[in-house]
Amino acid sequence: MKQRSIGFFAYAVITAVILSSCALILPELDIMSWSPGNDEPVNIDDLIISVEFSREPDHVLAEEAFSLTNQDGNTVNGRFSWEGSSLRLTPYSSLEANIEYSIKVETSVEDAYGGSLNEAFYKSFRTGSEGVRPVVEAVYPADRAVISSRNASVTVTFDRQMDFESVLKGFSISPDISGVSLLNDSGRVFSFTPAELWSLQQEYNIKISTDAASSVGYSIGSEYETSFTVSSDLTPPSVISVSTVDDATILADSIINTGWEKNSAIAVYFSEEVDQDSAESSVTLEPAASFDVDFDDSVTPARMIISFDDNLEWHTVYRLSISTALTDAADNAMEDSVVRRFFIDGASSMPPSVAKADFAPAGGSTVCF
């Protein structure tokens, strides 16, 4: 019995020594990587402050051992979070621009086996200027512009020197068209020249994705989009005349036109073919009255007919407006709105009235008035 106890004790001692030896041969706790790293200056918008340990340490001890201070020695407070063996600090307020900051991890941090840092970890970084992301300053053609040149180059001007390969990757045109891309000597102006002619009456959409980055690696941050249309027609439409449909009486500008009938339809003649949907939405009448807008296809270049669903009110001045929302087939907008005023006092629209009445009292003579 005594011999068995001695044997068991010896086994326990040997096991403890083996386990202790295993613990002893574990490497010291180390920091494998840190962010923001050695790149300077650091973009405040993209800033991540973190350290990655070689093994997951005790979270409380690690957070107590970690500190972030500015160049004046003031501690930056924030919220800690963990992802595996990586500790991340999110400051409660944004870091300042053009300031040096220091990350330090004391040797008091330990893992589950008691392993700690052989020496304190210390790194510093400097933040860059505010607005370190590149910005698109201008694009030609301008957004929603209509151009006539079918071989015009598209140019994108940035506020700083750009990386050509990243801009090329981020630049796209839809519908797709082949061409040659260049970056000028300053590195700020990117150009695209089509290898074939732009299609007429075609809208092209330009997109610059967040792949586009400056020469030091900062992206534009948010996608940029613009569009333009290629057209040989750059002349805006205009109203030639406004008149009645029945007798072609012209409605003059700047006066109140009289003699207008309550059920007269209005004809509007244009200088060219217009977009019918935009024309319909451009017409308003005050006081409000229900009306229909139609186009007479037998008349060129274009005649629009405005007819009223109900008779207009007698002795009322109406104001007809055609706004600059009206466009032609090439999307050129009318430059000036058109206004006509007319007074419903036509002879055929006059309400009936009593012209004569005879009154014969009982037993007396007839009285006329």
Side-chain angles (χ1 to χ4, degrees):
M1 188 72 176
K2 184 176 181 180
Q3 186 177 5
R4 180 179 295 180
S5 298
I6 293 173
F8 177 78
F9 176 76
Y11 173 78
V13 170
I14 293 171
T15 302
V17 169
I18 292 173
L19 291 175
S20 176
S21 299
C22 290
L24 290 174
I25 63 174
L26 285 173
E28 293 290 336
L29 188 64
D30 197 6
I31 291 180
M32 308 299 293
S33 64
W34 69 288
S35 177
N38 295 314
D39 294 333
E40 293 186 6
V42 176
N43 184 358
I44 298 175
D45 298 328
D46 297 332
L47 184 61
I48 295 176
I49 302 169
S50 66
V51 291
E52 181 185 7
F53 294 91
S54 56
R55 295 187 300 277
E56 187 170 357
D58 181 282
H59 288 190
V60 174
L61 292 177
E63 291 172 10
E64 290 176 349
F66 183 96
S67 64
L68 175 67
T69 56
N70 64 16
Q71 61 191 28
D72 297 324
N74 299 318
T75 300
V76 177
N77 296 313
R79 177 177 57 83
F80 289 109
S81 59
W82 287 87
E83 184 175 342
S85 61
S86 294
L87 169 63
R88 179 170 179 172
L89 174 70
T90 303
Y92 291 133
S93 57
S94 298
L95 300 188
E96 298 179 66
N98 295 317
I99 294 292
E100 185 171 299
Y101 289 88
S102 299
I103 294 174
K104 188 175 183 180
V105 183
E106 302 283 0
T107 56
S108 56
V109 60
E110 293 182 359
D111 62 13
Y113 303 101
S116 62
L117 295 178
N118 187 44
E119 59 183 11
F121 175 85
Y122 180 86
K123 294 291 182 181
S124 63
F125 63 91
R126 187 175 185 84
T127 55
S129 302
E130 292 185 83
V132 293
R133 289 189 184 278
V135 174
V136 175
E137 287 188 329
V139 175
Y140 177 84
D143 189 30
R144 300 186 64 80
V146 179
I147 64 172
S148 59
S149 175
R150 298 187 63 190
N151 59 356
S153 296
V154 173
T155 60
V156 182
T157 303
F158 297 90
D159 68 338
R160 67 197 63 200
Q161 186 176 0
M162 301 295 289
D163 172 68
F164 175 67
E165 293 299 327
S166 69
V167 178
L168 185 62
K169 182 180 179 181
F171 179 85
S172 63
I173 294 182
S174 178
D176 189 33
I177 184 171
S178 60
V180 177
S181 299
L182 297 171
L183 192 66
N184 75 343
D185 292 340
S186 70
R188 294 182 53 213
V189 181
F190 174 86
S191 63
F192 173 84
T193 303
E196 54 193 276
L197 296 178
W198 301 110
S199 298
L200 287 174
Q201 314 306 333
Q202 174 67 58
E203 181 180 67
Y204 288 90
N205 296 292
I206 299 172
K207 183 181 294 184
I208 304 168
S209 75
T210 54
D211 289 317
S214 68
S215 58
V216 294
Y218 296 132
S219 74
I220 62 173
S222 59
E223 194 171 79
Y224 186 94
E225 292 187 61
T226 183
S227 64
F228 67 94
T229 302
V230 182
S231 174
S232 58
D233 176 14
L234 299 180
T235 304
S238 61
V239 171
I240 297 175
S241 66
V242 181
S243 64
T244 59
V245 172
D246 295 338
D247 57 9
T249 300
I250 298 295
L251 271 78
D253 188 14
S254 303
I255 65 169
I256 297 177
N257 296 269
T258 58
W260 205 264
E261 301 295 348
K262 61 185 178 182
N263 58 355
S264 293
I266 299 173
V268 182
Y269 293 84
F270 295 99
S271 60
E272 60 176 301
E273 183 180 351
V274 297
D275 177 76
Q276 295 186 7
D277 290 336
S278 71
E280 184 173 352
S281 63
S282 71
V283 179
T284 57
L285 186 70
E286 298 175 3
S290 179
F291 60 86
D292 294 316
V293 174
D294 297 294
F295 281 83
D296 186 353
D297 295 332
S298 65
V299 177
T300 56
R303 183 172 85 149
M304 179 172 68
I305 306 297
I306 303 171
S307 55
F308 302 100
D309 297 334
D310 299 304
N311 290 336
L312 299 181
E313 295 292 330
W314 168 254
H315 263 215
T316 300
V317 175
Y318 285 89
R319 183 179 186 272
L320 175 71
S321 299
I322 304 172
S323 75
T324 54
L326 184 143
T327 61
D328 62 14
D331 205 32
N332 298 307
M334 191 165 66
E335 291 183 335
D336 300 305
S337 60
V338 172
V339 175
R340 296 291 187 271
R341 295 176 176 84
F342 53 94
F343 185 52
I344 307 300
D345 64 343
S348 300
S349 301
M350 182 183 298
S353 60
V354 176
K356 180 181 179 182
D358 294 333
F359 175 69
S365 302
T366 300
V367 178
C368 299
F369 60 91

